[in-house]
Amino acid sequence: MNSESSTNVLTRQWRIAEIAKQHPERSLNSIHHHLDLDWLRVAYGRLKKDKAPGYDGQTVRDYGNDLDRRLTDLLTRVKGGSYCAPPVKRVRIPKGEGKETRPIGIPTTEDKVLQRAVAMLLEPIYEEQFFDFSYGFRPGRSAHQALQRIWKQIMDEPIQWIVEVDIRKFFDTLDHNRLREVLRQRVTDGVITKLIDKWLNAGVLEQQQLTYPEEGTPQGGVISPMISNVFLHEVLDKWFEQTVRPRLLGRAFLVRYADDFVMGFQRKDEAERVYKVLPLRFQKYGLSINLEKTRVVRFASPQGGENRQGKAEAATFDFLGFTHYWGRSRKGQWFVMRKTASSRQRRTLRGVTLWCRKNRHQPTHEQHRQLCQKLQGHYAYYGIIGNSRSIASVRHKVLLIWHKWLSRRSRGHAQMTWARFISMLNGNLYLPPARIVHSNRVAKPQIRGTGCPKGARPDLWGRP
């Protein structure tokens, strides 16, 4: 991908955004002409090259060989209407505790390129109407920014009640017909809508069985986060901002990251009223709320409300892998603090245990390299201010797990006593110490390809 192609595409995205901004109530029926060779080159360039291959076995780097010929052929099939979306291979990964799993879709590499290209067309249209409390899978936004927004809302506003919500199997139950209705409020371009229909109806290949589900969008597809954001913007975000908030007497907030969200309220009666009406709102769009995991939590600052042991009597809530709770700073002030959710910590350690057991006969230096990567990845997400104890605990338990499985290797290896293990760690196989990666000051959302804060431009796709 050369800089000229990238600049050309950014300019056209800006033009699409300007049209969407000028006509917020009008559906756009002619945007597919932007799909050309330059656009597909940039779409390919935005795919991560080190990701696992598609289910056809082709990697992103392999697809880059003779790229222009492949993209020209793809473009011809798309514009001629002969492009056929291949089935998505589905695999299941553990989700939380027990036997619950999350389905992940693995498309082909060519399909990833085209899905990315269509997402690049939809992005400037919908970024003009998405609210700033939506953070999932949007350019320049992250889970840590969503966490920081919650922290600031609770610390700066008189929020005392949290509605913690769980949508039941959102990606499995998303209604195709309702999704089409929502999408066509803004996009009626036949080429684009037909492509999305083809992806929705492409079928799912799981354990050599091909099925054609009438609802749901498999996680893992490049287009899936975009259309899911569009759907939840209509179902939840607009409803909260335009219907719920104007009727409230107290302060309130909503923070959403993909299908995970929490609401905060100043008044208990308003929190309970919204809690009761949420299932009806989601039912209207073919979705359901998991009432076993949805609750109203009192989350007011203790401010002296302590028991006889000097501990604050306050509830907690979980969001994006962190448990939020009230705790004291070193100066004795009350702050919202975050620690790794116990379910996430157990899942991490269970994964390390399975990996160490499976790879215990690998060379020790290779095991060390892999474990270092796993810990660095853990720190990269969970290494936030106030969570040092949790991530240090994970590192300590990883050491214990590693020693356990090294000591269970076959007789061909020298016995791994604890003293020998410590000596090995003190040599050149030292695991990285726990470290804080994210401070409480999270950068403002960034514009893709510019590196400047969102506030530095009139809108996401605006020019200087």
Side-chain angles (χ1 to χ4, degrees):
M1 178 182 68
N2 57 47
S3 58
E4 184 178 348
S5 295
S6 182
T7 303
N8 178 25
V9 168
L10 286 172
T11 300
R12 285 188 281 167
Q13 285 183 308
W14 174 80
R15 289 173 182 166
I16 295 171
E18 282 295 297
I19 295 172
K21 187 176 181 180
Q22 292 168 9
H23 306 281
E25 303 300 326
R26 195 183 84 185
S27 60
L28 306 182
N29 58 14
S30 181
I31 56 174
H32 75 271
H33 61 276
H34 290 290
L35 277 178
D36 58 15
L37 203 55
D38 271 353
W39 197 279
L40 291 177
R41 284 196 196 102
V42 173
Y44 169 80
R46 290 185 181 177
L47 296 181
K48 295 182 179 180
K49 307 301 185 292
D50 56 348
K51 287 291 185 179
Y55 90 83
D56 57 349
Q58 187 178 54
T59 66
V60 176
R61 293 188 186 279
D62 291 340
Y63 191 84
N65 298 327
D66 201 10
L67 181 63
D68 280 2
R69 182 191 63 79
R70 294 178 188 271
L71 295 181
T72 301
D73 176 64
L74 174 61
L75 190 62
T76 300
R77 284 180 283 133
V78 170
K79 294 296 179 73
S82 61
Y83 178 78
C84 182
V88 174
K89 182 180 180 181
R90 174 176 286 174
V91 296
R92 296 184 179 272
I93 61 174
K95 177 185 177 183
E97 300 296 319
K99 298 181 179 179
E100 192 175 3
T101 60
R102 182 191 302 274
I104 297 294
I106 306 176
T108 63
T109 299
E110 181 180 71
D111 216 34
K112 290 180 184 179
V113 174
L114 186 56
Q115 288 189 29
R116 174 62 65 194
V118 173
M120 286 162 49
L121 276 175
L122 299 179
E123 196 173 80
I125 298 172
Y126 287 103
E127 282 294 333
E128 290 299 322
Q129 64 185 64
F130 285 163
F131 295 107
D132 62 355
F133 52 73
S134 167
Y135 287 87
F137 305 107
R138 293 180 59 190
R141 290 171 173 258
S142 69
H144 292 98
Q145 290 172 345
L147 291 165
Q148 181 63 7
R149 187 181 182 102
I150 291 176
W151 187 89
K152 286 187 64 64
Q153 292 278 5
I154 297 175
M155 293 298 299
D156 296 346
E157 304 285 350
I159 300 298
Q160 299 190 47
W161 299 90
I162 296 292
V163 179
E164 186 180 1
V165 187
D166 181 77
I167 306 176
R168 188 187 301 275
K169 297 183 178 180
F170 170 73
F171 288 96
D172 290 343
T173 60
L174 193 151
D175 186 277
H176 290 179
N177 290 327
R178 289 184 173 91
L179 173 61
R180 292 185 184 101
E181 291 174 6
V182 171
L183 285 169
R184 285 167 183 166
Q185 291 176 13
R186 291 296 278 145
V187 178
T188 52
D189 185 303
V191 173
I192 304 304
T193 57
K194 286 179 182 177
L195 279 175
I196 294 174
D197 283 345
K198 287 179 179 180
W199 286 320
L200 292 175
N201 298 320
V204 173
L205 183 65
E206 184 174 9
Q207 296 181 347
Q208 306 302 318
Q209 295 292 322
L210 182 61
T211 58
Y212 296 91
E214 296 181 359
E215 58 185 18
T217 171
Q219 297 182 63
V222 178
I223 197 67
S224 181
M226 168 57 70
I227 60 179
S228 300
N229 264 341
V230 172
F231 194 64
L232 283 174
H233 172 79
E234 181 70 25
V235 175
L236 177 66
D237 301 357
K238 280 177 64 177
W239 172 72
F240 180 83
E241 193 68 16
Q242 298 176 5
T243 303
V244 174
R245 192 190 293 277
R247 301 180 181 182
L248 300 178
L249 297 177
R251 297 295 184 92
F253 74 83
L254 164 67
V255 174
R256 181 174 66 83
Y257 188 91
D259 62 323
D260 294 323
F261 69 95
V262 294
M263 297 173 168
F265 297 88
Q266 181 180 358
R267 296 166 57 105
K268 179 182 180 180
D269 59 331
E270 293 177 340
E272 291 179 339
R273 194 162 76 241
V274 173
Y275 168 78
K276 290 178 181 178
V277 79
L278 266 174
L280 299 176
R281 175 64 183 180
F282 278 78
Q283 185 179 357
K284 179 181 177 181
Y285 289 87
L287 300 172
S288 61
I289 298 295
N290 188 343
L291 295 179
E292 295 179 359
K293 297 181 180 180
T294 299
R295 59 188 182 132
V296 179
V297 179
R298 188 175 189 277
F299 200 74
S301 173
Q303 296 294 350
E306 301 170 338
N307 58 25
R308 294 179 180 179
Q309 286 75 37
K311 296 181 180 180
E313 294 181 338
T316 65
F317 69 94
D318 289 355
F319 185 62
L320 297 180
F322 290 90
T323 296
H324 297 66
Y325 66 99
W326 285 98
R328 285 189 184 275
S329 69
R330 292 180 180 178
K331 295 182 179 180
Q333 296 176 314
W334 287 104
F335 282 92
V336 176
M337 297 187 175
R338 287 80 57 93
K339 62 182 179 180
T340 309
S342 57
S343 59
R344 293 293 186 94
Q345 187 161 319
R346 287 193 294 270
R347 187 170 72 183
T348 296
L349 295 174
R350 185 167 61 247
V352 171
T353 298
L354 292 174
W355 187 90
C356 286
R357 182 178 68 182
K358 182 179 179 181
N359 295 276
R360 64 185 183 273
H361 296 296
Q362 294 294 323
T364 307
H365 64 84
E366 177 60 23
Q367 294 185 45
H368 171 260
R369 185 182 69 81
Q370 292 284 345
L371 289 174
C372 284
Q373 289 182 359
K374 293 179 185 297
L375 281 175
Q376 295 287 16
H378 187 81
Y379 302 157
Y381 185 77
Y382 293 103
I384 65 173
I385 293 291
N387 196 35
S388 56
R389 181 176 297 179
S390 291
I391 59 176
S393 173
V394 167
R395 179 185 182 274
H396 175 69
K397 290 174 181 177
V398 167
L399 285 173
L400 297 179
I401 293 168
W402 192 22
H403 171 257
K404 171 184 175 179
W405 290 104
L406 284 178
S407 64
R408 294 191 178 188
R409 297 205 286 190
S410 64
R411 297 178 181 177
H413 299 277
Q415 184 180 8
M416 183 59 69
T417 63
W418 183 252
R420 181 166 176 253
F421 181 66
I422 293 299
S423 176
M424 181 187 76
L425 294 179
N426 291 334
N428 58 354
L429 296 181
Y430 185 70
L431 291 180
R435 65 188 184 94
I436 299 301
V437 178
H438 304 278
S439 69
N440 271 343
R441 297 185 62 186
V442 178
K444 294 180 179 180
Q446 299 286 312
I447 304 171
R448 175 181 289 150
T450 67
C452 61
K454 185 177 183 180
R457 291 189 172 192
D459 55 60
L460 184 68
W461 299 100
R463 288 180 171 175

